[in-house]
Structures are given as C-alpha cells and as structure tokens.
Amino acid sequence: MGHRNDALRAARLRAGWRSMDAAAAALSAHGRQFLGDRSFDVAPRTWRRWEGASPGWPPEETAMVLHDALGRWPEDLGFTAPAGWIRPEALHEDDMKRRTFLNVTAAALVPGPTARQHVDPALIDYFEQQLEGHYRADMFLGPHDLIGTVSAQYQLIDKLIRSATGKTRRGLLRVGAAYAALVGWLYQDAGDLGGAAFWRGITQEMAARSRDPHLVGYSLVNLAQVRTDLGDGPGVIDLCEAALDDDRLFPKVRVMAMQQLAHGASLTGDRTAVDRLIDTAGGLISRVDDELPWGNACRRTPGYLEVQRATCYGRLGLGRAAEVLWSQVLESVPATARRDRGVYLARHATAAAGAREPEQAVEIARAAAEIAAETRSARMLRELGTLERAMRPWHDAPVGRDLAEILAPVTEGV
C-alpha cells in the first residue's frame, strides 16, 4: 500500500529527506534553530502519522516550522486545516498582490508627458539587434533573468516614441510591439498568465498604433497563445481566425496563425483539423522570406511544425503517434536550445506513458528534470506535472517510485 499523504511525502523527498525518521530529525533540528527553542522536537512516530490517512493538524509553531523548512503551509502538505485557521501571510496577501500587479505593469504604464528629445532613426536598428540577442539569451537562461532587462528596454522605447515623429515613430512602434510580445512570452514561460495577458494586450495596442497589419496579426496569435495555456480552444480559434481574415499577411504570420489554430483544434478534439492546418502551414514555410526581427521561431526551430503536431497529438491522447514524432523531432534539436529541449523531453515522456511504455517515460524524464532544475521554466514544470498524472497507473510500482524520486526536486506533489 502506498503512502496516504503523498503531498507531504513529495515535499519530504524534495527536501532530500529520504525516510520518515530522517525527516523527523531534520525538522526537529530546523525548528530548534528557527524558533530558538532547544526543546522543539518532532518524533518519528509523529511524522509517520502525518504521512498516514489521518495526519491531523500540527501545533501552530510546528506549522510555522514546516512552512519555513518546506516552503508550504500544512494545508498544502495534505493536512486538514481546522476552522478559523488563517495563514500568517494571508493578512498581507492583498497588499502583496497589489505590489506584484504594479511591478508587472510598471514598465508599460509610465505617466506622461515626458521631456522632449531628439530621436535618431538609427535607434530602431539598435533595438532590433538587441531583440535578436534577447531571443538567443532566452534559449539559454529561461524567463526569470530576462524579464527585468527586456521590460526596461520596452520602457525606454515607449519614452522615445513620445518624442519621435514620422517614419522613426512608426518604426519604434513596430519594435516596441515586438519587445512587448517578448515580455509577454517571458511572463507566460514563468507561469504568470495574468502578466502574460497584460503584456499581450500591450503588444496588440502597439501593433494597432503602428498600423502594421502583420504585427496586428502577430499580436492576435500572441493572445491566442495565452488562451491555449488556459485550455480555451474556442478562444484560440476565434483569435487565429481573426488574424487569418487579413489576406495581406506575410507567409510567416500565416504559418504562426495556422499552427496556433491547430492547437485550438486539438483542444476541441479535432484531429482532422490539426493535420490539415499543420500540413497547410508546411506548404508555406519555404515562402517565409521577410526580414522582420520578430516571430522567427518557424525558421530558427528545427522541426518547428512537427513540434506543434506532436504537442497537439499528445493533447489529443494519441500517445503512440506523439511518441514516434517526438523521437524524430528531438534528434534535430540543438544542445543550445536547452529550455525548449527540456519541454520537448517532458512531452515525449508523457507520450511514452500514453503509449504504455512507463520505463521509457522514466528514462526520458530523467534528462527533462535536470533541465527543469536549471531553468525553473514554469512551462516545463507544468509539462512534468502532466507526466506525473499520465504515470499514475504505475504509481505504486517500482517505475512509479523511480519517477517520484527523479521529479521530487522540481515538481509539486500531485
């Protein structure tokens, strides 16, 4: 019989406490230091009860020690909170949420007017070159180290737009939309869909102000990406079809809209539409020849459209077909695209589980977990959570315990 309180067990393993006796000893030592109380003690039998079917509720000071040691409050560790329990942090939660919102929006909502200044047209090229560097850095670093840098550059672009005129102003609006799109992506990769949706909206505003139909289409695809992460298939379809209504779009933007529309189709269970859209987009790839600095994943990412097809197949529950595609795709992914490779590996592992190949899933997951620990990409962690759910049929088998040990340092218990 498996452990009844899997949430506490998962947190214990993440902390490196491999047995319940070791956990009791480690928590006791942590509590004595945290509380400054040499008498603080958690007995091994107490911890064993906590991981059982009826863990009860720890005393308030023990709850504080658990939170400090494991980073989670008891109700998130499988305990049942008593009536009237209020987390100490909840008293400040509203204020924290307000400050977080201000931090997310601050770079885009700078009040004016600002002092007038001369804006040289050469700045457009400067920001475009910086943008390409940010795209490359994102492949290596993940979101957290770049959000502040790219947001600050967007803020500078916004300031310059207020003084620029004519073609220079229009060019800065276009590059500003591309920077806002990247900030939105970074928030989405970090798991903050509220921040992502805000910056996708800023992208659409800047695109509309630039009067560039290709950017307007791109901004709609950006909004559809958030809808995809929300599991809103009809919303994805509405936005992508709105983008494709414009016959002027460059092939690149049409490819982006079609592949995202395929994700919407997968969310509504329509495999026929998925294949039709990916195949049609594939016929346009050779015609992508613009020099725009944004939206170049279809040229930069090996097997770009097959990545989308494999992802859609996984979402549709087509484990065997998805597993075959991921095996092919991963052969061409360069080592430099480390974060993307981690996401693909996690999806490949889930497909292997869906194909009833749990041992292969665990072997693939080992490499994915290593990358997830480095990048802390929320997108990757979400994929690993999906893998855990797909592996539930083997939860109590040796292969399931192997997976729990591999993922314990980087995922929440499920």
Side-chain angles (χ1 to χ4, degrees):
M1 180 178 293
H3 293 271
R4 302 292 184 87
N5 187 349
D6 287 332
L8 181 61
R9 177 174 178 266
R12 163 168 68 77
L13 292 173
R14 277 199 307 276
W17 303 340
R18 295 304 175 191
S19 71
M20 288 184 274
D21 285 5
L27 191 70
S28 297
H30 188 93
R32 286 192 284 272
Q33 183 176 2
F34 176 69
L35 299 170
D37 180 359
R38 294 183 180 179
S39 66
F40 180 82
D41 184 68
V42 173
R45 65 177 180 277
T46 300
W47 192 286
R48 285 193 286 274
R49 174 171 54 80
W50 287 349
E51 287 200 24
S54 302
W57 184 256
E60 185 169 348
E61 67 174 15
T62 306
M64 299 289 286
V65 173
L66 279 165
H67 177 262
D68 192 69
L70 300 177
R72 301 170 73 191
W73 292 105
E75 63 265 42
D76 298 322
L77 292 169
F79 295 87
T80 301
W85 162 254
I86 300 175
R87 296 182 182 186
E89 64 186 15
L91 303 175
H92 309 289
E93 206 165 85
D94 289 342
D95 188 49
M96 288 170 63
K97 286 180 180 176
R98 182 181 62 83
R99 286 201 304 272
T100 299
F101 179 74
L102 289 175
N103 289 337
V104 168
T105 63
L109 299 178
V110 177
T114 57
R116 305 289 295 179
Q117 65 186 105
H118 171 69
V119 182
D120 194 293
L123 285 168
I124 298 170
D125 185 58
Y126 163 76
F127 284 116
E128 287 182 348
Q129 290 178 8
Q130 292 281 307
L131 185 64
E132 180 56 36
H134 292 320
Y135 288 143
R136 289 197 304 272
D138 176 46
M139 291 169 62
F140 294 106
L141 296 174
H144 302 286
D145 293 323
L146 280 180
I147 285 177
T149 299
V150 182
S151 298
Q153 285 198 291
Y154 172 85
Q155 188 172 351
L156 175 56
I157 294 168
D158 180 45
K159 176 175 174 284
L160 294 171
I161 288 169
R162 301 182 192 199
S163 294
T165 57
K167 290 183 178 179
T168 303
R169 175 181 168 81
R170 196 65 60 85
L172 284 171
L173 281 164
R174 287 195 293 268
V175 79
Y179 269 78
L182 178 54
V183 177
W185 157 248
L186 293 171
Y187 274 108
Q188 191 166 347
D189 195 32
D192 184 347
L193 290 185
F198 171 82
W199 279 96
R200 301 307 201 187
I202 294 296
T203 304
Q204 188 177 28
E205 177 202 326
M206 298 294 272
R209 289 167 61 187
S210 78
R211 314 291 205 279
D212 184 325
H214 312 293
L215 263 176
V216 170
Y218 177 57
S219 72
L220 290 170
V221 175
N222 272 256
L223 287 166
Q225 288 178 345
V226 177
R227 287 282 129 194
T228 298
D229 273 10
L230 291 170
D232 178 8
V236 177
I237 292 168
D238 288 341
L239 289 161
C240 292
E241 288 183 343
L244 290 165
D245 279 345
D246 192 331
D247 294 331
R248 296 170 294 175
L249 294 183
F250 284 147
K252 179 170 71 181
V253 185
R254 298 195 75 81
V255 167
M256 295 177 68
M258 285 179 182
Q259 62 83 21
Q260 202 64 44
L261 184 54
H263 287 287
S266 73
L267 285 164
T268 61
D270 190 346
R271 177 185 180 171
T272 302
V274 167
D275 285 327
R276 182 182 70 250
L277 288 160
I278 297 294
D279 290 345
T280 305
L284 293 174
I285 285 283
S286 63
R287 293 170 50 194
V288 176
D289 60 357
D290 60 82
E291 296 183 357
L292 297 172
W294 45 264
N296 288 311
C298 63
R299 288 189 287 204
R300 189 172 57 241
T301 306
Y304 172 76
L305 288 174
E306 293 312 302
V307 166
Q308 313 310 321
R309 194 193 306 267
T311 302
C312 289
Y313 279 5
R315 197 179 284 125
L316 286 163
L318 305 172
R320 179 66 64 186
E323 196 276 326
V324 170
L325 275 176
W326 283 123
S327 295
Q328 297 169 358
V329 165
L330 281 158
E331 289 180 1
S332 61
V333 177
T336 50
R338 190 153 176 78
R339 194 269 319 284
D340 284 347
R341 184 174 183 81
V343 171
Y344 301 162
L345 284 166
R347 291 175 181 168
H348 187 195
T350 300
R356 311 285 306 172
E357 296 177 1
E359 288 81 9
Q360 183 187 2
V362 170
E363 283 308 304
I364 299 167
R366 200 179 303 277
E370 181 182 330
I371 298 172
E374 292 174 9
T375 64
R376 305 305 301 175
S377 162
R379 190 168 57 122
M380 200 181 309
L381 296 175
R382 187 172 64 246
E383 296 292 349
L384 291 174
T386 301
L387 169 61
E388 286 185 302
R389 291 189 290 276
M391 286 288 291
R392 276 180 178 164
W394 300 277
H395 178 72
D396 290 325
V399 70
R401 291 193 289 273
D402 287 347
L403 181 72
E405 187 169 344
I406 290 167
L407 299 187
V410 291
T411 62
E412 296 292 332
V414 293

